[in-house]
Each structure stands twice: as C-alpha cells, then as structure tokens.
Amino acid sequence: MTTPSQPKRLGFFTRLLDEGSAGERYRLAAEQIIHAERQGFDTAWVAQHHFHEAEGGLPSPFVFLAHVAAQTSKIRLGTGVVTLPLENPIRAAEDAVVFDLLSDNRLEVGVGTGGTPSSFTAFGLDSANRSEIYERALALVRDAWNGKPLEGGDSLYPAAPYLNDRVWQATFSTWGGVRAGKAGDGLMLSRTQPRPKDSPNATLPEIQHPIIDAYLEALSPGKAPRIMASRSLFVADRREDALRLAETGLRRVAKDFAAKGHVIPGDTLADLITALDTHVGTPEDVIESLSKDTTLPRVTDIVFQVHSVDPPHDDILRSIELIASEVAPALGWQRPLAKTEKRVALVR
C-alpha cells in the first residue's frame, strides 16, 4: 500500500546537543528553529530526555517551545517525543493545551514510550512496564482533552478535543504502527533503528516499509495518513568540509556505542555513514543519497536532523539554508509562498 499523493511538509528536528552549557544549548536551538522558519520550514521538533546530557539536553519540551513560540509566528512546533510514561498525564495534557493556546494553535504532539531504564527507576517506575504505562497515560490524556470527567469528578480546563487530531506516535515496530493507525494518529519513524539479529545488514527502508504497511492497513477508511520520516542529514557547500565534520561526529558516536557493547561493522568513514544511516555532503550528494531511500516517497512529512554529525552552530544554519533551497524541493517539498507572493500569483 502507498500513501496518497500530497505535498510534503518539511521539518527540522533537534535533540539540543550543541556544545556548551544547558542555557547555551537552548539559545542555539532556538536560533536554529527561528532560522528554519525564515527558510520556509513547516515544522520544528524537539526531543525530551531526562538526566543524560549526552543523549539530549531538554527535560521540559513545553517550556522550551513556549520560548520559541514567542519568537516565531508560522512554524508548527512539535514534541518529538514526550516520553509519556515518565509524565503525569493530566499535567502533560494541561501543559499541551496552554502551550497550544499561547502559540496560536501551532502544537504537534509527538508521544512515545522512550527513556532509558535508569530514567524509569529515577521516577519510581519499572521500564519493563513502559508499554502498559504508556497506553494508560495516552488514554487519560485523550480523555482529559475531550473534557471527560476525571477520577474525582473534575474535568480539564480548558478542554481541547482538537488536540487529539494532532497526536503522533513514535515506534520501532509494526505493532506500534498498528497502534497508531487504529487510533488515527500520525506515525513517527526514526532516523535510525536497531537491525534485527537475523538481518544485521537490512537497510532502514527495509525495516520501515512493514511499519508503514501495518499503519496504513490499520488506519480507518477515509482517514488521511500522517507519516513522518526523520533522517540524519548534514549539507555543506563543499564535500570535504561536510565529510571532515561528519567524521568527527560519527567517530564520537561510534566510540560511545562501542563502550556500551554495540558493534558497528567496519571502521572507515563510509562504514560509519552507512551504519548510522547518515546522509552527508553537498546538496547534490545528499539528493542522490536520499533518492535511494524508498521510504521517503511514502511519507507526508520529512524531518531532518544533524545528529549524529553534530557540527558547529553556523554550519547547522547553513545546512538548513541548503536543505530549503536545494535538497527539499528535489524531494517533493514546495516552499510556502509569502503573502505578497500569493497576491501576485492571484493577479497573474
């Protein structure tokens, strides 16, 4: 099965991993999202991570996004994702409603089961129960938004049933695709994911096509699919600059993986790029590389992140520009017209 043909949305994603203090990370990430809006990006997404500086720098996504919303006006702002099992679902529902109202209804709500086992322990939970906790929490969030009476008789103020149409579920599995499809939610696909033990050399599209198939099969007839593919992408004006920065970042990640017992086959830069599902180079290089990703024609949203290259801030800003001007249009994205451009188009 394929998705209906429709214009793609372009997104920017960050885990807030720039070099510097936490405050500096927040400042730089905000600048990157503001820059993405200026370049015409449709969406921006931030990850939530508790405790682990090297994995992500943001435990409170709604607070950060409220700061960004005050400095932007059009770009839609999403959580990618809220680790729902580690949240009080009523408080998460309340924060989402307040943020959406203050941002002029620009919130996209990505949720997932994520989090490292030690994070669950810190919150007094068992990570082995994460799926059960997640499903219970998501059901409670939905009920709260719908204004249903909660335990004790109170109901959420203000209610926001429309937010149920903006939920995205992240998953690595076909079962997760079924769950998102049955709920009528969006499907969030990762930039990389573990390979099955029986298929260690499987490509990312080979792993993710069955998830898309399961999602579309479970989706109610007439319900428009929402499928997001996140991809690791770093673009530079010169190939040698892109590869130099990529080698620094990817070798750092490979070293961390090795320390945790993971094995990355091969040791050349090309091996690392392949193993970590990274697209890097000039616009021409990455257009060619991305054209081999057979997942992308099936998605409605393409979201790019610079992890795990993690180049300096100025290089990220330039990559954002090159994505908007050269790469994304080659993948089916159309830059939104400014109001003045729309008026001219109508006159013509």
Side-chain angles (χ1 to χ4, degrees):
M1 298 175 65
T2 60
T3 56
S5 177
Q6 60 189 97
K8 296 187 185 301
R9 294 199 306 179
L10 175 64
F12 171 75
F13 175 87
T14 178
R15 293 171 63 193
L16 289 84
L17 292 175
D18 298 273
E19 291 291 333
S21 66
E24 181 69 357
R25 282 181 166 186
Y26 300 158
R27 184 184 71 81
L28 294 176
E31 284 187 12
Q32 291 159 17
I33 294 173
I34 293 166
H35 194 61
E37 179 180 69
R38 290 173 181 154
Q39 299 304 311
F41 278 62
D42 301 292
T43 63
W45 302 79
V46 296
Q48 178 185 43
H49 284 89
H50 295 283
F51 310 123
H52 304 106
E53 177 184 352
E55 293 184 11
L58 184 65
S60 304
F62 291 117
V63 176
F64 173 77
L65 289 177
H67 170 69
V68 174
Q71 302 176 75
T72 56
S73 61
K74 296 175 293 186
I75 195 166
R76 300 194 63 77
L77 301 168
T79 55
V81 295
V82 171
T83 51
L84 206 50
L86 303 183
E87 298 293 317
N88 179 300
I90 302 302
R91 287 291 299 117
E94 290 177 327
D95 284 347
V97 174
V98 173
F99 169 74
D100 189 58
L101 291 174
L102 293 176
S103 66
D104 195 23
N105 303 116
R106 286 189 280 148
L107 175 62
E108 300 285 337
V109 189
V111 293
T113 61
T116 58
S118 62
S119 295
F120 281 78
T121 303
F123 279 88
L125 301 169
D126 185 348
S127 66
N129 300 325
R130 66 175 61 196
S131 293
E132 178 185 344
I133 300 170
Y134 168 80
E135 292 185 8
R136 185 168 60 246
L138 182 54
L140 191 51
V141 167
R142 294 189 197 276
D143 285 347
W145 284 339
N146 283 329
K148 291 185 177 181
L150 305 172
E151 187 173 346
D154 288 326
S155 59
L156 198 69
Y157 175 81
Y162 51 85
L163 283 179
N164 281 305
D165 295 325
R166 297 194 227 146
V167 174
W168 299 75
Q169 295 199 47
T171 186
F172 281 167
S173 69
T174 54
W175 161 238
V178 171
R179 179 172 57 195
K182 285 184 175 180
D185 295 335
L187 174 69
M188 302 181 80
L189 301 173
S190 177
R191 66 189 174 102
T192 188
Q193 64 183 85
R195 271 43 177 181
K197 291 183 178 180
D198 57 349
S199 301
N201 296 316
T203 66
L204 190 59
E206 287 173 343
I207 296 173
Q208 293 185 340
H209 276 304
I211 302 175
I212 295 176
D213 292 338
Y215 169 76
L216 293 173
E217 184 67 30
L219 201 64
S220 299
K223 185 73 173 180
R226 290 179 290 132
I227 305 173
M228 175 195 302
S230 181
R231 292 295 183 261
S232 293
L233 176 70
F234 173 57
V235 196
D237 291 289
R238 302 193 327 150
R239 180 182 297 122
E240 52 266 40
D241 293 334
L243 294 178
R244 172 177 53 81
L245 291 169
E247 181 148 25
T248 300
L250 297 182
R251 289 202 180 280
R252 180 173 58 243
V253 171
K255 182 179 179 181
D256 182 60
F257 277 15
K260 295 178 180 178
H262 302 297
V263 177
I264 294 180
D267 188 51
T268 69
L269 178 56
D271 292 331
L272 295 178
I273 288 173
T274 299
L276 296 172
D277 297 303
T278 305
H279 304 271
V280 60
T282 64
E284 294 78 10
D285 294 332
V286 298
I287 289 171
E288 179 182 359
S289 177
L290 289 164
S291 69
K292 300 174 184 176
D293 188 336
T294 55
T295 308
L296 299 186
R298 305 185 68 189
V299 307
T300 58
D301 292 63
I302 304 176
V303 176
F304 291 122
Q305 53 184 294
V306 294
H307 319 304
S308 294
V309 174
D310 295 313
H313 175 64
D314 287 344
D315 295 291
I316 294 175
L317 297 181
R318 181 56 179 157
S319 183
I320 288 170
E321 294 170 357
L322 292 171
I323 289 170
S325 62
E326 300 187 46
V327 178
L331 302 175
W333 176 70
Q334 298 176 4
R335 180 172 182 148
L337 295 175
K339 290 183 179 179
T340 53
E341 293 174 312
K342 290 180 180 178
R343 284 197 293 268
V344 170
L346 288 173
V347 169
R348 290 178 181 174

